[in-house]
Amino acid sequence: MTDRYVVIGNPIAHSKSPQIHAQFASQTGQAMSYERLLAPLDGFVGTVQRFIDSGGRGANVTLPFKLEAFALANQLSPRAQAAGAVNTLIFDGGRILGDNTDGLGLVRDMQANAGIAIANQRVLLLGAGGASQGVIQPLLEQSPRSITISNRTLSKAQDLVKQFAHPALQACALDALGEAYDIVINATSAGLSGELLPLPAKVFGVGSFAYDMIYAAQPTTFMQFAQRQGASTRDGLGMLVEQAAASFYLWRGVQPDTAPVYDSLRAQS
Ligand code: ATR
């Protein structure tokens, strides 16, 4: 019997997850299917329940349902708790387990794929929404020297600093950023509309590494700005593949090889 998985979102037609998981499954010889499932904006829980009732084994959850998935899970992993959001559900004999692999995906892509060590580095994290919150704990686990959270709405960055209460964390207004960081991560949604953050150029030095959590066929506006200041850059396609691999591992207990999947997605974009 083929085990069934889905990615649930709204919209969902654009999702690359089915293609990623199909490649993981064929690589590792896992008998499973993975499809897109569109949930009505007011019908996430019912959609999940029907999928469980029909024998579904697990799901990825994407916008705008990660908070509803968090609320729906009967049991949450520590990393889902820290993220305040769930991107992976496991259906296990009536129980719904919630996990979050987004932050691990970012850390793996930066460290294993881009070769950027986080330990002892000064990190600037831009944005204070769900995407930012999801990566704070996994970044802290790599022992950076500091993580400065900066956001258009400063109070939201300050709230995150209070919530995580870790000595390496601090908040700073965008226009008060006055020095270069080793690593600058864009976790805002500003780039989705092609907008550039009001970010001082001096946050990038020649040795800085700039990571945009969104991805596109061309370098994003954020990446182009960072490149002009001499920084090296990477977009979030690798994070997408790595978070998928971590979900796949949770469901199947097998670690897929992410490099060929990344290469094939990059070739298409
Ligand atoms: P996500 O789940 O993608 O993090 P979100 O929770 O809505 O989405 O958060 C969006 C983030 O992008 C916020 O940090 C937001 O800043 P505010 O808290 O000030 O709203 C940031 N953002 C979105 N558009 C922006 C823009 N044009 N300039 C600067 N920051 C922007």
Side-chain angles (χ1 to χ4, degrees):
M1 169 95 167
T2 299
D3 291 336
R4 290 168 52 228
Y5 299 85
V6 286
V7 56
I8 306 178
N10 186 331
I12 200 63
H14 65 284
S15 174
K16 294 186 191 300
S17 292
Q19 187 187 341
I20 296 171
H21 283 279
Q23 290 190 53
F24 288 165
S26 90
Q27 242 185 40
T28 58
Q30 295 288 306
M32 59 183 278
S33 68
Y34 186 110
E35 287 166 8
R36 297 180 182 88
L37 183 55
L38 177 72
L41 289 175
D42 61 353
F44 173 73
V45 172
T47 302
V48 173
Q49 200 53 58
R50 278 189 294 281
F51 181 62
I52 294 173
D53 294 344
S54 74
R57 298 293 304 273
N60 280 131
V61 180
T62 187
L63 293 177
F65 298 125
K66 291 185 185 185
L67 296 179
E68 284 187 71
F70 180 86
L72 177 66
N74 311 127
Q75 197 180 317
L76 292 165
S77 69
R79 59 192 183 189
Q81 270 162 12
V86 158
N87 81 333
T88 308
L89 292 170
I90 303 160
F91 309 130
D92 179 25
R95 285 185 318 154
I96 301 177
L97 312 180
D99 205 335
N100 193 313
T101 63
D102 287 330
L104 178 60
L106 171 71
V107 166
R108 284 220 179 122
D109 190 45
M110 281 175 56
Q111 299 200 141
N113 301 335
I116 299 294
I118 297 165
N120 214 25
Q121 300 297 293
R122 287 170 319 137
V123 178
L124 173 60
L125 180 60
L126 300 167
S132 178
Q133 185 176 342
V135 301
I136 292 173
Q137 188 63 38
L139 286 170
L140 283 171
E141 283 166 12
Q142 302 306 315
S143 307
R145 187 182 311 169
S146 61
I147 300 179
T148 303
I149 306 177
S150 193
N151 193 44
R152 179 174 60 181
T153 312
L154 178 60
S155 61
K156 282 167 66 181
Q158 290 166 330
D159 289 347
L160 283 178
V161 170
K162 270 195 215 121
Q163 184 184 326
F164 282 86
H166 189 285
L169 275 181
Q170 60 207 45
C172 183
L174 279 169
D175 59 7
L177 293 168
E179 56 181 351
Y181 290 82
D182 302 308
I183 298 171
V184 182
I185 300 169
N186 183 21
T188 74
S189 52
L192 293 173
S193 51
E195 275 179 86
L196 185 60
L197 289 162
L199 185 63
K202 59 189 160 204
V203 301
F204 302 106
V206 169
S208 297
F209 174 73
Y211 193 101
D212 200 339
M213 283 171 51
I214 62 173
Y215 61 88
Q218 305 301 323
T220 64
T221 318
F222 168 79
M223 289 164 67
Q224 291 175 33
F225 181 62
Q227 283 165 6
R228 286 199 294 277
Q229 321 312 320
S232 62
T233 61
R234 187 169 174 90
D235 75 8
L237 187 65
M239 177 178 175
L240 175 77
V241 177
E242 294 297 338
Q243 64 78 30
S247 295
F248 187 89
Y249 181 77
L250 286 172
W251 294 324
R252 311 303 301 179
V254 186
Q255 199 73 59
D257 184 6
T258 51
V261 180
Y262 176 88
D263 289 345
S264 74
L265 287 177
R266 184 58 83 193
Q268 281 167 28
S269 64

